[in-house]
Amino acid sequence: MTSAAMRYKEIIGLARGAEENLRTWELARADELEHVLADAHQAVAAAKEREAQTIERVNRWWRMAEDNVSRLSWLETGAGPEPSPSARGAYLDRYLEEVRAAYQDLVQAILKLGWRSR
């Protein structure tokens, strides 16, 4: 009988060890997930800030473009810019460069029209 009692104690000891190992792993995983979640919240906040800056920047370019086009009586501006649902955040710098280049092209075209009309 002592061997059955010893085996029972051994099994209970193994179960306690497994419980402690599982608890330690769960606590470590919870800490890891908290850090991942905090990083995700920071990334979302940074993306929102970048989005707000981009919207402000594009709207400023739009207002300047409208001001330039307003001098042309035969041309009316359409609705303002809207975010594109198919745009990729990773290409934001490229998109902004394209908007800047398009604005500069518009300014140059309007200046050329001004010289021709004189």
Side-chain angles (χ1 to χ4, degrees):
M1 259 227 225
T2 58
S3 78
M6 292 300 287
R7 181 73 181 137
Y8 175 77
K9 286 183 178 182
E10 181 183 335
I11 291 171
I12 294 298
L14 289 172
R16 284 189 183 134
E19 176 189 9
E20 289 174 11
N21 288 341
L22 179 62
R23 183 175 307 146
T24 301
W25 178 84
E26 286 176 337
L27 290 173
R29 181 68 177 146
D31 286 343
E32 179 184 338
L33 290 175
E34 285 179 15
H35 291 312
V36 168
L37 186 60
D39 291 344
H41 284 296
Q42 287 177 345
V44 168
K48 285 182 179 180
E49 177 63 27
R50 192 163 185 202
E51 177 187 28
Q53 290 173 351
T54 301
I55 289 171
E56 189 276 326
R57 194 170 171 186
V58 169
N59 285 333
R60 184 173 359 110
W61 277 328
W62 179 256
R63 286 190 308 271
M64 291 187 307
E66 281 183 321
D67 183 53
N68 283 308
V69 170
S70 70
R71 299 176 199 155
L72 305 173
S73 60
W74 50 270
L75 185 61
E76 292 183 26
T77 59
E82 293 289 327
S84 173
S86 63
R88 302 275 188 241
Y91 301 142
L92 180 60
D93 292 333
R94 183 185 312 170
Y95 297 150
L96 289 173
E97 181 58 31
E98 288 174 7
V99 171
R100 185 187 65 74
Y103 172 74
Q104 289 175 344
D105 290 345
L106 173 70
V107 169
Q108 291 303 313
I110 291 173
L111 288 174
K112 287 179 185 176
L113 285 174
W115 282 105
R116 288 184 184 150
S117 65
R118 287 184 184 176

